[in-house]
């Protein structure tokens, strides 16, 4: 798969110390990523990386900054959002043979792992994946609760754990 936001960085450009890299998506790249992530739009996407070698790979820490517009999952209304996210990513060589990265288990304290092939890291794809993870998975507009209420959907607060049973019991007893 070709990345919509390719920013290759050669491993031989990472020295013994820390290497600073800044990247920013063009308007065309933002539009392509918006299509990929089913967003109304991405106005800005930039990331700062601090790259350094460690015992098992390349450690990348940094900050992602983005301005996006998502759609409300209920009303479809556009919802502008600002993403400011610190990240820590470990780049590791793609496992060979029977070893598969699908089987890698991470503790919750561990950082995201991105595998690479050859001698180049794609920092743009790492930034795109960081953005995708930072997006609100259930964006709701201010009108969403009212629209849901009008459609007959009750809120979690109104539902309570026993409300369906209570309603059924009232119906059987003939009480309102």
């Amino acid at each position: 798969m070709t990345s919509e936001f390719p920013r290759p960085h050669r491993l031989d450009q990472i020295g013994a110390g820390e290497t600073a890299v800044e990247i920013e998506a063009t308007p065309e790249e933002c539009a392509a990523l918006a299509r990929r992530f089913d967003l109304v739009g991405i106005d800005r996407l930039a990331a700062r990386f601090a790259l350094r070698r460690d015992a098992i790979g390349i450690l990348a820490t940094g900050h992602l900054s983005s301005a996006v517009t998502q759609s409300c999952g209920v009303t479809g209304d556009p919802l502008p959002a600002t993403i400011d996210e610190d990240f820590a990513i470990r780049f590791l060589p793609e496992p060979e043979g029977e070893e598969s990265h699908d089987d890698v288990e991470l503790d919750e304290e561990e950082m995201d792992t991105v595998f690479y092939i050859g001698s180049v890291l794609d920092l743009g794809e790492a930034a795109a994946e960081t953005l995708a993870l930072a997006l609100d998975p259930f964006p709701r507009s201010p009108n969403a609760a009212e629209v849901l209420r009008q459609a007959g959907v009750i809120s979690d607060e109104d539902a309570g754990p026993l409300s369906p049973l209570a309603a059924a019991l009232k119906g059987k007893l003939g009480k309102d």
Side-chain angles (χ1 to χ4, degrees), residues 8 38 42 58 100 111 117 136 164 166:
D38 196 24
I42 299 176
I58 305 296
S100 170
M111 61 190 68
I117 297 173
D136 182 350

Side-chain angles (χ1 to χ4, degrees), residues 38-126:
D38 196 24
L39 299 171
V40 174
I42 299 176
D43 295 324
R44 177 179 44 82
L45 173 60
R48 291 187 322 264
F49 290 85
L51 305 170
R52 67 177 169 81
R53 296 179 181 277
D54 71 2
I56 60 172
I58 305 296
L59 178 63
T61 56
H63 186 81
L64 177 109
S65 177
S66 184
V68 303
T69 304
Q70 293 183 272
S71 291
C72 172
V74 175
T75 65
D77 293 342
L79 296 170
T82 301
I83 309 286
D84 279 304
E85 186 85 10
D86 290 329
F87 60 83
I89 301 170
R90 173 158 285 132
F91 289 93
L92 298 174
E94 183 76 32
E96 294 179 16
E98 301 205 9
E99 195 178 343
S100 170
H101 60 80
D102 292 337
D103 298 332
V104 174
E105 293 186 28
L106 299 176
D107 293 334
E108 76 179 48
E109 293 177 10
E110 291 190 64
M111 61 190 68
D112 291 332
T113 300
V114 174
F115 295 96
Y116 65 89
I117 297 173
S119 60
V120 176
L121 308 176
D122 188 346
L123 300 181
E125 181 58 23

Side-chain angles (χ1 to χ4, degrees), residues 3 6 9 11 18 26 40 60 66 72-74 76 97 101 104-105 121 134-135 149 158 166 171 175:
S3 174
H9 190 84
L11 293 175
E18 196 169 85
T26 66
V40 174
S66 184
C72 172
V74 175
H101 60 80
V104 174
E105 293 186 28
L121 308 176
L135 292 170
R149 189 188 63 69
D158 293 338
K175 296 182 182 177

